[in-house]
Amino acid sequence: MAGKHVILVAEDDVDTATMLEELLTLEGYEVELTATARGALDALAERHFQAVLLDLTMPGMTTDRFVAELAGLGARSPLLIFSARLPHEIQSMAERLNAAALIPKPVDIDALLSALSRVVLAAPGEGG
């Protein structure tokens, strides 16, 4: 489908990633999954996504290094950060990355879909 919104889900927990992939696919999104920090960085360096659901704590590198490398990419895909950490613990990282939303884990499906819809609808169109 030419107009399908592509979402990157960067999550190392297999059950959470699978649940998100199934949910977002049912909602009409195309989903690309990655389970490592390097995989997320590589995917963001290669292409633009309408939104990125991003767990900041993933295998492969420290959170601080991941945030620094992500900020260095200058990636323009809107970030929705979801984390089991308390919001005040990741607030400065979210601000540094200009995140569109902070979504606590366990994920509230309605809050996630609402934030995602808001971000996708606000994103500039890709031709058409």
Side-chain angles (χ1 to χ4, degrees):
M1 208 178 260
K4 197 171 258 200
H5 297 293
V6 183
I7 309 299
L8 175 65
V9 175
E11 169 61 63
D12 62 309
D13 180 81
V14 174
D15 292 335
T16 301
T18 300
M19 180 272 299
L20 289 169
E21 181 179 32
E22 290 173 3
L23 171 73
L24 296 175
T25 300
L26 286 172
E27 291 292 321
Y29 296 102
E30 181 179 326
V31 179
E32 184 173 319
L33 293 176
T34 184
T36 66
R38 177 56 49 206
L41 293 169
D42 290 347
L44 287 164
E46 290 174 14
R47 71 185 287 193
H48 173 79
F49 296 90
Q50 279 70 39
V52 179
L53 299 179
L54 179 65
D55 181 358
L56 289 178
T57 308
M58 290 193 297
M61 65 182 67
T62 66
T63 300
D64 288 337
R65 180 172 170 204
F66 179 55
V67 169
E69 288 198 30
L70 186 56
L73 276 179
R76 296 189 317 246
S77 298
L79 303 175
L80 289 87
I81 296 173
F82 58 101
S83 177
R85 295 181 185 187
L86 295 173
H88 71 273
E89 292 180 301
I90 59 170
Q91 188 66 43
S92 65
M93 288 179 241
E95 289 171 5
R96 182 174 174 191
L97 295 170
N98 196 28
L102 284 175
I103 300 166
K105 286 182 181 177
V107 175
D108 176 315
I109 299 304
D110 292 332
L112 170 68
L113 291 175
S114 176
L116 185 58
S117 177
R118 185 174 20 89
V119 167
V120 168
L121 290 175
E126 293 197 334

